[in-house]
Amino acid sequence: MALNADKQRYLSRLAGKTFFILGDEACAYGALFAGCDFFAGYPITPASEIAELIANDLPKAGGIYVQMEDELASIAAVIGASWTGSRAMTATSGPGFSLMQENLGYAIMTETPCVLVNVQRSGPSTGQATKPAQGDVMQARWGTHGDHNIIALAPKSAQECLDLMLECFDLADTYRTPVLLLMDGEIGHIRESVTMPSMPAIDHATRKKADAGDEPFGGDDLVPGIVHYGEGRNVHVTGSTHLANGMRDVATPKVHDVLIRRIYRKIEENRDTIVRTESDISPDGRAKIGVIAYGAAARPAYGAVLECREQGQAVDFLRLITIWPFARKQVTEFAKNLDVILVPEMNLGQLSREIERFVDCPVVPVSKIGGIPHTVDEITSAIMEAV
C-alpha cells in the first residue's frame, strides 16, 4: 500500500518514537500506522479515546473521520468505505458491539475486509459503563447468526494495542473478512510506554484484486479477489445467499452450501497461520498445574505463576493472543501432562468452557466480575488451593 504525501509526513513525525499513552490511544496510532484511511464511530466509554485521537489525527494523514448517529450506522459506513478500497474501521464497547452484530454478519457474508475494536466493559446492558470486563468473548464468536467463522485478537498491553492493530488490518485484507480487536477497559485505559513502528517496518498486506473475468465471490481460491466500487466494473454485493458473481440465489441448497463452506474454510484451513499464543513452560516438564489467560487477566495471571514458582511450585503458563479461531491445538498440547488448568477471566467462565472441550483434565474458572481486575495474590491463592 503506497503512502500518500499527507500520511507520509504525518507518520514520519511519529515513527520510531516512544510515548507514554493510553491503550486506547495506542490502538488509534496502530490504526494510523496500519494505513487506516476511514473511521466511522459513535462515542462510548471506555473506547471513546480511540475515536477522539483518530478524529483529530486521521484528517492530518489524509483520511476521513465521521461521527455517525449510532453504532448501526457506524459499521454500515465502514463496510461501504471498504468496498471503495479504504482500510476502514470502527471502535465501540459492549452495548455498541451488540448493535453491530447484524452488520458484522453482513460483512462476513459479503467478505468485506474491515476492523472492529471492542473495548469491553461490564454488562449486561449499560452495566458498569466505565469499568473493565471480558464479557464479550462468546458474543464475538457467536453474536451474529448463522454458520460463520471470525478472527479476534486480544492485547495484554498498550504496546500490543498498537502492534495487534497492524495485524488486524493485514488479516482483514489477507482473508477478506472483518477482524475484531477484543480489548478490555483495563487495557484501553492503562497508560504505558509505547514505541511507534519505524517507517521501513510499515509493510502492509495487499488486498487481492479480482482479475478481469474473475468472479468476486467464487472461483478456485478460498479467498477470491475483490472488485472495488468505482473501478469501472459492475459488482453486486448482497447479504443474501449469492452466486460467484454476487447475484442472489436464495433457493438453491447447493449454492448456499458451497458459499458458506468456503467462507468458513478460508479461516479454518488457515488457523495454523492465524493463531498466535505465548507460553512459559517449566523446563523440566514436571508441572501438573497450568494457567491459561488472555487480555488484562494475563498480567496478574503470569505474575501469580512466577510467584508460585518462587514458592517451589511448578506451574505452566499459556497466553492466548488469538481468541478466535480458538487455539485448540496449542491448548491440547499445553494440557497434555497437566492435572488441572486454571483460567482467570473477567467474566463467569466464558472461555473456560471452550478450553474444556479440548483437554482431558479439569478446568477451574478463576472468575472475577464487578469492574475490578484480578490481583496477583488472588490468582496465586487459587493456584495454591489447586495444589
Side-chain angles (χ1 to χ4, degrees):
M1 175 185 291
L3 297 177
N4 62 40
D6 288 338
K7 188 177 292 292
Q8 182 79 33
R9 283 192 295 270
Y10 173 82
L11 295 181
S12 294
R13 292 195 294 267
L14 298 172
K17 296 180 180 178
T18 298
F19 300 93
F20 191 61
I21 56 177
L22 295 174
D24 278 353
E25 293 169 330
C27 173
Y29 282 123
L32 293 165
F33 272 95
C36 174
D37 53 13
F38 182 89
F39 181 103
Y42 187 80
I44 183 171
T45 55
S48 294
E49 291 87 354
I50 299 173
E52 288 170 3
L53 194 150
I54 288 183
N56 185 70
D57 285 25
L58 185 56
K60 300 175 185 176
I64 296 171
Y65 169 90
V66 184
Q67 180 169 313
M68 305 301 292
E69 62 268 32
D70 54 35
E71 290 86 354
L72 287 84
S74 299
I75 189 170
V78 165
I79 292 169
S82 179
W83 275 96
T84 68
S86 287
R87 274 195 152 191
M89 70 167 289
T90 188
T92 189
S93 188
F97 191 50
S98 297
L99 291 173
M100 292 183 181
Q101 291 302 321
E102 182 180 1
N103 268 339
L104 178 60
Y106 178 81
I108 292 168
M109 188 64 153
T110 56
E111 301 180 79
T112 304
C114 56
V115 174
L116 195 168
V117 178
N118 177 12
V119 188
Q120 299 165 84
R121 76 187 205 190
S122 182
S125 189
T126 307
Q128 296 172 289
T130 63
K131 300 298 185 181
Q134 294 176 317
D136 304 349
V137 173
M138 282 299 168
Q139 185 189 24
R141 179 65 187 88
W142 298 112
T144 192
H145 62 284
D147 291 304
H148 65 281
N149 231 324
I150 198 74
I151 299 175
L153 310 181
K156 71 162 187 177
S157 65
Q159 182 68 57
E160 276 198 348
C161 290
L162 185 150
D163 296 340
L164 293 186
M165 277 301 286
L166 300 174
E167 291 193 31
C168 284
F169 278 97
D170 283 350
L171 287 166
D173 279 356
T174 299
Y175 298 104
R176 204 177 139 186
T177 188
V179 174
L180 311 178
L181 186 69
L182 275 183
M183 295 168 57
D184 48 66
E186 183 70 10
I187 298 301
H189 283 175
I190 202 167
R191 190 177 291 274
E192 296 179 319
S193 293
V194 175
T195 301
M196 303 292 151
S198 60
M199 292 300 286
I202 307 171
D203 184 18
H204 305 312
T206 302
R207 193 177 296 182
K208 185 169 74 172
K209 303 294 291 296
D211 294 329
D214 287 350
E215 304 286 18
F217 296 98
D220 297 329
D221 295 333
L222 278 178
V223 184
I226 196 168
V227 177
H228 291 141
Y229 287 131
E231 293 181 334
R233 180 177 167 185
N234 293 333
V235 57
H236 187 260
V237 182
T238 176
S240 297
T241 296
H242 45 274
L243 300 163
N245 63 4
M247 301 306 293
R248 296 174 75 248
D249 184 341
V250 299
T252 308
K254 186 176 181 180
V255 171
H256 185 81
D257 185 275
V258 169
L259 173 65
I260 299 306
R261 287 185 187 273
R262 179 184 60 75
I263 291 175
Y264 191 91
R265 284 169 49 224
K266 70 181 180 182
I267 294 175
E268 185 66 21
E269 294 184 11
N270 286 290
R271 61 166 53 242
D272 286 346
T273 302
I274 295 169
V275 171
R276 284 185 52 200
T277 61
E278 182 181 85
S279 62
D280 186 348
I281 308 299
S282 301
D284 55 9
R286 65 185 180 91
K288 295 301 179 184
I289 295 179
V291 175
I292 299 178
Y294 57 95
R299 297 166 70 113
Y302 188 54
V305 168
L306 298 179
E307 176 66 25
C308 289
R309 288 176 181 174
E310 288 184 5
Q311 297 181 31
Q313 298 294 334
V315 183
D316 288 346
F317 179 73
L318 178 68
R319 180 168 75 97
L320 304 181
I321 300 171
T322 306
I323 304 298
W324 306 113
F326 184 68
R328 57 193 185 199
K329 182 170 72 175
Q330 292 84 348
V331 167
T332 300
E333 178 65 23
F334 176 75
K336 191 165 55 177
N337 298 315
L338 299 177
D339 290 339
V340 64
I341 293 173
L342 287 82
V343 185
E345 298 184 81
M346 295 171 69
N347 57 51
L348 294 182
Q350 293 193 16
L351 208 64
S352 301
R353 288 186 281 274
E354 187 72 9
I355 292 168
E356 286 176 342
R357 299 175 58 215
F358 299 100
V359 303
D360 294 325
C361 62
V363 176
V364 179
V366 184
S367 297
K368 187 170 185 181
I369 58 175
I372 304 296
H374 297 79
T375 66
V376 171
D377 287 346
E378 287 170 341
I379 301 175
T380 299
S381 295
I383 295 172
M384 298 308 291
E385 183 177 340
V387 172

